[in-house]
Amino acid sequence: MARPGRAGPSAALLFAPTVVLALAALSETGCSLERLGPASELTDDPQVLTIRAEPPEAHAGELVTLEALVHWPGDDWEAHWLVCVPQGSGGLSNCVSDNFPADGVVPDCLTAPDAPLCRAPSGPVSGVVVPPYLQIPPGVTFPVLVELLAARSAEGWTGCLPAVANAEPTSDCLLAVKIARVSAHPQPNRNPVASALLVDGVTHDGQTPFRLTEDASDLAHFSVLFELVVDASSVDEIYTDDASPQDAALDVSWFATCGSIHGVDSGGLRGDDSPDPSKVNCTPPPEGVGPGTCEAAQATWTPREPGTCVVHAVVNDGRGGIGYLTRVFEVRGIAAPEQETTLSACNSSGGGGGGGAGGFTNAFGAPPSPLLLGLPLLLWLFGRRWRARGGR
Amino acid sequence: MMSCKMRNLPGIFGLWLLLCLTAFSGSVWARQARPAPRRALGKVVYPKLVKFVQAPYPEAARKAGKQGVVLLFVTVSVGGKVTLVSVARSLSPLLDAAAVKAAGQFVYKPATVDGKPVGARIKVAYTFRLRARPAPRPAHRRAAPPTPRPRPRVRPVRKRPSVRTVPGARLGGRVRQKGTRTGLEDAEVLAYVRSGVKGGRGRLAGKTFTGKTGRFALGLLPAGRYLVEVRAAGFRRFKVVENLAPGARLTVAYYVERTSYGAYETVVTSKKERREVTQYQLSLPEIQMIPGTQGDALKALQNMPGVARAPFGIGLLLVRGSAPEDTRVFMEGHEIPILYHFFGITSVFNSDLLRSIKFVPGNFSVQYGRAIGGVIDVFARKGKRDGWHGYLDVDIWDVGALVEGPVGKGSMALSLRRSHIDSVLALVPGVEVSPAYYDYQAMVDHPLWGGHLKVLAFGSDDRMRIFDRESDEWRTIYVTLFQKTLVLWGRRWGKHELRASVAGGYRRTEVGTDFKQIQQFGDVGWRLHYGYRVSSSLRVSTGLHGTVTVGSAELRGYSGTGGEDLSIKGLVVNQAVYAEASWKPFPRLTLIPGLRLDYYSIQNIGLTAFDPRLTVRLDVIRRKLSILAAVGLFHQDPQISQFIPEVGGNPNISHERSLHTSLGLNWRVRPSLTVEATGFYKQIWALVVDTNKEVWRDSAVETEYQANVGRGRVYGGELLVKKRADGDCPRFLKLEKCFGWISYTLMRSERKDPRDPWRLFDFDQTHILTVVLSGLWKYGWQVGIRFRLVSGNPTTAYRGGIFAADSNSYIPVFGEPNGDRLPLFHQLDLRIDKKWVFKNWILSLYLDIQNVYNYQATEFVLWNFNYTRSTTLNGLPIIPSLGIKGAF
């Protein structure tokens, strides 16, 4: 959709004061966004966390397995998959809506593999065979759009048809897309593998819930350190065709069903608008021999409340390769904190923040000086005294 | 409009220059208003009063003991009739009205120049005396254009008793304004023989008027004790007892206090012929007192009709539905890059050095161009010549100082200002921004070659730093600075007028830290204007306006170049020639046609534009009701970056264009009350908008990022009801004087991108209402309020987001573009001023409170990560600002 024009660097320059002003209102803006909730804090609202295609880059005729990682508390949900091959000059972004049939009947990919838009089998895990006619010349990568419809069971595919056709998601019909790459590359991209999660240096085995127990008096300061270990051999980005070494940085997103997670290095997580999210830095093997190494990505988790909590970590190589890891925790002996003052200065106002009703703050969200508030009174008193002395 | 694009300019400007010089050697032009030098005229005979009409003494004024002199400006026609009377110096509303009414019935023998009758404006002193005296007689002391200004006539003392028998004494000196020490002109100085009764006075022994600089001489008086009185309209009566010894020559200095200071100073400016349907000439002393502006006259522009409210009150000028960059700001006819320090905190030019501000929201004269919105031209005044003056001014934003005084036959002024808001913010915990600014103005003016030379240098520097938590240090993220020097010279002689000016400047802007955009420009501009009065009904003028700009832009860490630095340099040449005429085919009808030709070149690209314009004025009731209509074409140069493909530009970009039409009514309901109403329609086309499509160019497919394919339309109406500062105020408020205005704009501004339907402009505000009221009470207290009620800006809502797994982000699903609107904005501002006038200086204190009832205006809507929930970013809360100023 076309946005209002008159853009460009010089226009940006012209509006630089506006940008600066926005920065000046940083504290309030930050609080406002925090009130909206970061993506890492999973709530009662359903949320698609990632889609993984295995392999992320496939050859024509190869089977690609699709996996959806979805947070959907409460009700049952269904996963439906659409595969769209862009036609002619049509773009990827409108591929589904451009090719969606008027009668709403989308052919099955098994029975109509040549259709530009088809449905793969439903379910959190599905599979589709790359159309054999997509014979891609060497050196070229062809994108195929995979769209996930995560629908509340009550709605199902039928109920969510308008959302899919018009590309307008609703709270019951979530939409997510991923690009499956088709190429004839002899060494296609691979998914990174998140192999382990260390909790304060202890490995979570992934089989049983990890138990966390803490004295209630230390609740406000209680947090644990996560370290995500990525198998360096799965990070193909550090191995090149000509064996020349290169570094790679993979983004990591964290999600938790309780508490909050903050990246150690940058504090940035998806949804926080941070330019520098939590990363896994990998280096190639010395002189190209043997395995490379990856530093663990770190984050701190503050559970805040007792109970069973689920934590997800998603690794993204930026080229379609995705890996994830899910772990369960049992948090015990921890009462809910009275205030969240140590976690966020913004939340201390109980949701009012700088812009809350009745908030008496200055331009930057801070309370004005008592001196300023008393100025009218001072002026009045001064005037009276002056008049009393015969002045004018 | 005709427009074409030329790779080579075939000597158009050389040809024009030749034509211009040819015309210049002949004679063409003249302009009304200012008196011509004496030597240019022939024998002048001033109007002579034939019929005097005595004004009835208002009973209320008689009971109140009001008496004194009302100074009037009386315009006498060629036939000797009085066509216009205005108050030059007020005495009281009742006496003013009586004097105006009586003077309107005077009959004169008209003024003549070389025996030929001419119209003239003269100054008349209408005296009201309570004692039983002969009927008041007007004193004609001065004639205005086209007659020269004679020296004020000092009324001689007819009786000089005892001059021969008792050694006389002389009393003379100077009458000054208390506080400012400015010489007081036309004040009446009376000397009474002191009677034996305590405080009583005897017969009048001598009387005179002060001259231009406030000097007076009572001549020879008998030695003795005298009660000396100084009377002047607008000033409190001054009395003092003087002892004159025989043969003494006593030189005195009297300091007379005004009845009011500041907003209620009478500012008389020459009336110039309006060339635009809507043109707001702002009276500086008044608008400096508008609440919410911190005394900044240029910030008051945002209260004018047709100007939309900018979010957070930042300094964006949104004139008649146009984008901020569509309105040009000039200083004495030369463009300045910015008008306000960031956020619109305050303007970059000291308001106390301004003479006037001309704001034209549309259909402006051909003397201005390269803008499709409006025009603001700011004029600096001369420095004071009656002594050295200055002030120190401190408020919560900044501290400023000014000093000015006479230099030879001219004057100079120097002003400096530096913000301390960064120091204030440093005291607030958690604030991690630090804005700082300064500006300066230096000015010298001097007579030269029969005209007047003015040299003006000014500059501004804004810097914004933020605290980077990661590196634990302060980083500068925004810098904009400019320096500008103007040299202006102008002269009028006979029917000719010539104005020439040259400007040179430098500006630099830096934005960002890791990704940094740096722009630097050096420019030289010039203006040459020549006018000639062909006859009483025809005047013509022509002029040149041009600039040469050398600029460079650097992009450091720009992703579009793979992180490599990008540097671009270039030369931009602007040249324009214009011609305009003012023709009165009938006494009440004025036609002002004009034509402007602009040429713009950058590198090897040349663009030309022809802008014809026409304004028609019909005086339905002379000086009271007039109707104006205008139509014209306007264009605007593309921004330099829009030519550069590397930064998303298009080398085939051309001018943006617009058609302005307006129809206005100007009605002077009462001498102090005017109503201006204007309806307008503006068509905009060839707007540069993002296209981002593949095009076939030079045998290759290229990405076209931008093109002149946007359109726009704006229509609406403006209303301004304004009451000037005088004593005509509601009685129950017991005000000495008051002023105010109501400004209302009803408007709709729309834009259209290719293949999309019409949508609202980003800053479209349907209703804009501003009410300003200010009143002066006794003892120097002044209170003003400003109330604004404005429609919210349009906004585009999101209908959710689609999760993109590969980029780990959400793709927003937009609702109808600008289909929603933010809530209504309303705000009350309050300003309280108090002045203490001492003999040699004035202390002023003001409290300016913005957003008195702390309304939480919604300025932006913020959305969460997946565009399913939103919250609002509110505007500025209550902001009290205290200022103190000491002036001498």
Side-chain angles (χ1 to χ4, degrees), chain B residues 435-603:
Chain B
Y437 62 82
Y438 76 80
D439 60 60
Y440 72 92
Q441 298 85 36
M443 198 164 55
V444 175
D445 70 273
H446 203 274
L448 182 70
W449 300 333
H452 208 87
L453 175 74
K454 181 156 67 177
V455 179
L456 174 62
F458 58 103
S460 157
D461 188 310
D462 292 9
R463 289 170 194 271
M464 169 65 79
R465 296 188 307 152
I466 61 168
F467 186 74
D468 184 4
R469 295 182 191 177
E470 197 167 314
S471 60
D472 197 30
E473 62 181 17
W474 288 89
R475 303 181 72 178
T476 301
I477 61 163
Y478 175 73
V479 177
T480 183
L481 61 91
F482 77 88
Q483 322 286 338
K484 196 117 187 164
T485 302
L486 306 181
V487 181
L488 307 112
W489 178 80
R491 184 188 171 191
R492 291 166 187 256
W493 73 102
K495 298 178 177 179
H496 308 265
E497 184 195 31
L498 182 64
R499 295 199 305 264
S501 58
V502 180
Y506 168 78
R507 62 189 157 109
R508 177 186 176 91
T509 305
E510 295 180 19
V511 180
T513 52
D514 297 327
F515 165 52
K516 201 166 195 172
Q517 183 178 4
I518 303 171
Q519 292 190 345
Q520 297 183 83
F521 298 96
D523 61 73
V524 176
W526 57 88
R527 267 187 181 268
L528 183 66
H529 179 93
Y530 172 70
Y532 179 70
R533 190 178 64 199
V534 179
S535 68
S536 60
S537 61
L538 177 63
R539 278 173 273 159
V540 293
S541 63
T542 184
L544 273 175
H545 178 203
T547 56
V548 173
T549 306
V550 180
S552 70
E554 286 181 63
L555 294 176
R556 296 177 185 168
Y558 177 47
S559 59
T561 56
E564 293 184 7
D565 292 352
L566 178 67
S567 180
I568 301 163
K569 294 180 180 177
L571 175 73
V572 178
V573 178
N574 280 104
Q575 181 57 287
V577 54
Y578 61 84
E580 193 174 47
S582 176
W583 178 42
K584 288 189 172 183
F586 305 103
R588 295 194 175 188
L589 180 67
T590 307
L591 303 176
I592 305 175
L595 180 66
R596 182 181 174 100
L597 165 64
D598 270 281
Y599 174 72
Y600 172 89
S601 79
I602 178 170
Q603 308 296 19

Side-chain angles (χ1 to χ4, degrees), chain A:
Chain A
M1 179 168 298
R3 301 292 302 131
R6 316 295 289 278
S10 50
L13 190 66
L14 180 77
F15 285 95
T18 315
V19 176
V20 173
L21 180 71
L23 286 168
L26 199 60
S27 54
E28 185 180 353
T29 308
C31 293
S32 299
L33 285 174
E34 198 156 311
R35 284 199 298 275
L36 289 171
S40 58
E41 294 180 16
L42 300 176
T43 62
D44 291 340
D45 295 333
Q47 185 175 334
V48 178
L49 306 183
T50 194
I51 300 172
R52 183 168 68 174
E54 180 60 47
E57 188 173 338
H59 304 295
E62 187 177 358
L63 174 66
V64 176
T65 303
L66 304 170
E67 294 176 44
L69 179 61
V70 177
H71 165 70
W72 200 296
D75 301 341
D76 293 335
W77 65 282
E78 301 171 359
H80 302 275
W81 300 89
L82 291 165
V83 179
C84 190
V85 180
Q87 306 291 305
S89 60
L92 270 178
S93 56
N94 299 325
C95 189
V96 173
S97 52
D98 287 353
N99 294 288
F100 203 84
D103 57 3
V105 180
V106 182
D108 197 305
C109 292
L110 294 174
T111 57
D114 296 342
L117 179 68
C118 63
R119 283 185 65 186
S122 299
V125 179
S126 181
V128 65
V129 175
V130 177
Y133 68 84
L134 289 177
Q135 296 296 330
I136 310 299
V140 176
T141 301
F142 187 84
V144 173
L145 186 78
V146 174
E147 182 166 300
L148 165 69
L149 165 65
R152 193 178 299 279
S153 295
E155 296 287 335
W157 167 258
T158 308
C160 289
L161 265 182
V164 177
N166 301 321
E168 289 188 4
T170 65
S171 57
D172 292 334
C173 309
L174 307 185
L175 296 178
V177 293
K178 177 179 177 56
I179 296 171
R181 290 163 172 80
V182 182
S183 76
H185 201 286
Q187 291 181 320
N189 186 31
R190 288 181 290 161
N191 285 319
V193 176
S195 55
L197 179 69
L198 277 60
V199 183
D200 282 339
V202 179
T203 304
H204 190 308
D205 60 11
Q207 303 300 315
T208 56
F210 194 100
R211 187 167 297 174
L212 292 171
T213 307
E214 184 60 34
D215 191 333
S217 61
D218 289 335
L219 279 180
H221 307 285
F222 175 69
S223 62
V224 293
L225 176 68
F226 285 157
E227 291 175 277
L228 181 69
V229 179
V230 174
D231 182 359
S233 63
S234 68
V235 184
D236 57 295
E237 284 76 10
I238 60 176
Y239 309 100
T240 58
D241 295 346
D242 56 3
S244 58
Q246 66 177 44
D247 295 338
L250 281 64
D251 292 340
V252 178
S253 301
W254 300 87
F255 304 94
T257 55
C258 42
S260 62
I261 296 184
H262 294 271
V264 169
D265 295 333
S266 63
L269 293 170
R270 180 168 64 80
D272 287 351
D273 289 337
S274 169
D276 187 18
S278 180
K279 286 185 180 299
V280 171
N281 294 310
C282 298
T283 52
E287 300 177 359
V289 179
T293 56
C294 289
E295 294 175 2
Q298 296 183 328
T300 54
W301 178 45
T302 306
R304 292 187 192 167
E305 56 193 56
T308 302
C309 298
V310 181
V311 172
H312 308 275
V314 179
V315 187
N316 190 331
D317 69 1
R319 301 195 302 154
I322 286 172
Y324 63 85
L325 175 148
T326 299
R327 295 290 184 266
V328 180
F329 292 84
E330 279 288 334
V331 183
R332 292 186 174 183
I334 299 174
E338 293 177 0
Q339 288 289 336
E340 301 164 5
T341 49
T342 58
L343 301 172
S344 167
C346 302
N347 291 344
S348 60
S349 61
F360 193 73
T361 57
N362 67 10
F364 303 98
S369 158
L371 176 64
L372 294 181
L373 295 176
L375 282 179
L377 183 62
L378 284 174
L379 187 69
W380 181 71
L381 289 173
F382 186 56
R384 280 196 62 184
R385 187 165 183 177
W386 179 263
R387 289 279 303 281
R389 291 167 56 188
R392 289 192 298 183

Side-chain angles (χ1 to χ4, degrees), chain B residues 636-655:
Chain B
Q636 183 164 283
D637 303 334
Q639 297 172 30
I640 295 173
S641 62
Q642 290 175 334
F643 286 101
I644 305 167
E646 288 85 349
V647 292
N650 179 355
N652 294 313
I653 286 288
S654 186
H655 285 130

Side-chain angles (χ1 to χ4, degrees), chain B residues 154-398:
Chain B
V154 178
R155 297 175 186 180
V157 179
R158 298 185 183 279
K159 294 181 180 178
R160 297 175 185 170
S162 308
V163 170
R164 293 175 184 171
T165 54
V166 181
R170 292 180 186 276
L171 176 63
R174 208 166 171 189
V175 177
R176 296 173 183 264
Q177 273 191 42
K178 191 177 176 184
T180 65
R181 298 172 295 112
T182 303
L184 190 59
E185 185 184 4
D186 288 337
E188 192 175 16
V189 182
L190 305 104
Y192 296 95
V193 175
R194 187 73 192 270
S195 69
V197 184
K198 187 179 180 182
R201 69 187 186 195
R203 62 183 172 79
L204 179 65
K207 184 173 83 169
T208 187
F209 285 83
T210 56
K212 194 172 183 179
T213 58
R215 293 193 183 280
F216 73 95
L218 272 171
L220 206 58
L221 296 172
R225 297 188 77 199
Y226 288 88
L227 176 68
V228 180
E229 268 191 31
V230 180
R231 300 171 185 171
F235 289 82
R236 301 188 195 283
R237 187 166 296 187
F238 177 86
K239 292 179 182 178
V240 66
V241 175
E242 303 285 7
N243 280 313
L244 297 181
R249 180 184 292 271
L250 185 61
T251 303
V252 295
Y254 297 145
Y255 290 84
V256 185
E257 188 177 0
R258 290 190 74 99
T259 52
S260 63
Y261 283 77
Y264 302 100
E265 292 178 33
T266 305
V267 178
V268 181
T269 54
S270 61
K271 282 275 182 186
K272 290 188 176 180
E273 182 181 74
R274 275 177 60 161
R275 293 166 186 274
E276 289 92 2
V277 175
T278 311
Q279 173 189 316
Y280 301 111
Q281 285 276 5
L282 305 180
S283 170
L284 291 169
E286 287 181 12
I287 62 176
Q288 280 185 266
M289 295 295 174
I290 294 176
T293 62
Q294 283 91 39
D296 192 319
L298 290 166
K299 279 186 76 176
L301 283 171
Q302 295 174 336
N303 298 298
M304 292 291 105
V307 181
R309 188 189 71 87
F312 295 103
I314 57 176
L316 299 178
L317 286 168
L318 306 159
V319 179
R320 277 191 185 168
S322 289
E325 65 270 27
D326 296 347
T327 296
R328 304 284 171 190
V329 183
F330 299 90
M331 167 60 73
E332 304 269 6
H334 293 273
E335 194 170 356
I336 55 176
I338 57 171
L339 185 58
Y340 302 110
H341 292 293
F342 39 36
F343 315 163
I345 289 178
T346 184
S347 58
V348 296
F349 203 93
N350 187 345
S351 295
D352 291 303
L353 280 176
L354 297 182
R355 174 165 58 92
S356 65
I357 303 169
K358 179 180 178 182
F359 170 51
V360 191
N363 281 108
F364 40 87
S365 157
V366 291
Q367 294 181 24
Y368 301 99
R370 300 172 198 154
I372 58 174
V375 157
I376 295 159
D377 203 352
V378 182
F379 299 91
R381 65 171 171 83
K382 297 175 184 174
K384 291 179 179 172
R385 280 193 40 78
D386 60 341
W388 285 91
H389 298 273
Y391 67 71
L392 183 68
D393 186 5
V394 182
D395 63 18
I396 66 164
W397 304 104
D398 53 43

